[in-house]
Amino acid sequence: RQGEESKMKSVIITFIIGAAMIGGSIFYSSYLDRESKELSHITSDIKTCVLNDDFNKAREKISELNKSVEHFEKIFLATGDHIEIDNIKIHLSELKSYAQHRMKSDALGKIYVLDFLFEHLPRNSQIRIGNIL
């Protein structure tokens, strides 16, 4: 009788832990998707500024993007891939330099890279059978 109660407690605890992991994963994925869209939106604003040769406004938006990445980084590093954030920061630094020197085509190239990285952040963190096996 005690053995059956012990097994039942183990099953219940396992179920609760599993549910917490799935719930946490859904919450984190939603957060990651929201943040990624916000970073992409700022990047789109930067692209518009660069295309219009408004490098002063572009530098302001790059500063805003940098602050947003720093905020996002604190949470992402706890659970995400450090290499992804490092890549984002490297490309963001290069974009800042290109905008500072009014190098339009180089700046646009970095904008497209950042946009790609932001778009793939949520995809790379989703739970998939292939990630588990």
Side-chain angles (χ1 to χ4, degrees), residues 67-113:
K67 288 176 186 172
S68 294
V69 167
E70 286 176 0
H71 172 75
F72 172 73
E73 176 184 21
K74 293 173 186 172
I75 295 168
F76 184 75
L77 286 179
T79 57
D81 184 357
H82 294 224
I83 293 172
E84 286 186 75
I85 284 292
D86 289 344
N87 284 335
I88 289 168
K89 290 172 75 176
I90 288 167
H91 291 291
L92 186 54
S93 294
E94 291 173 351
L95 173 59
K96 184 177 180 180
S97 176
Y98 294 145
Q100 184 71 34
H101 299 320
R102 305 175 83 75
M103 299 170 73
K104 186 174 186 173
S105 61
D106 292 325
L108 287 171
K110 286 301 160 185
I111 288 167
Y112 291 123
V113 169

Side-chain angles (χ1 to χ4, degrees), residues 10-72:
S10 294
V11 168
I12 292 171
I13 290 172
T14 301
F15 178 74
I16 291 171
I17 291 171
M21 289 177 64
I22 290 170
S25 177
I26 291 169
F27 175 78
Y28 180 71
S29 291
S30 173
Y31 168 79
L32 195 58
D33 188 53
R34 244 187 351 269
E35 288 297 313
S36 178
K37 285 179 182 172
E38 177 61 26
L39 295 172
S40 289
H41 178 73
I42 298 169
T43 303
S44 178
D45 290 346
I46 296 168
K47 181 169 79 172
T48 300
C49 293
V50 170
L51 286 170
N52 293 328
D53 294 319
D54 188 352
F55 287 94
N56 290 330
K57 183 71 171 175
R59 284 193 299 272
E60 290 175 20
K61 288 292 185 176
I62 291 167
S63 179
E64 179 184 340
L65 181 61
N66 192 50
K67 288 176 186 172
S68 294
V69 167
E70 286 176 0
H71 172 75
F72 172 73

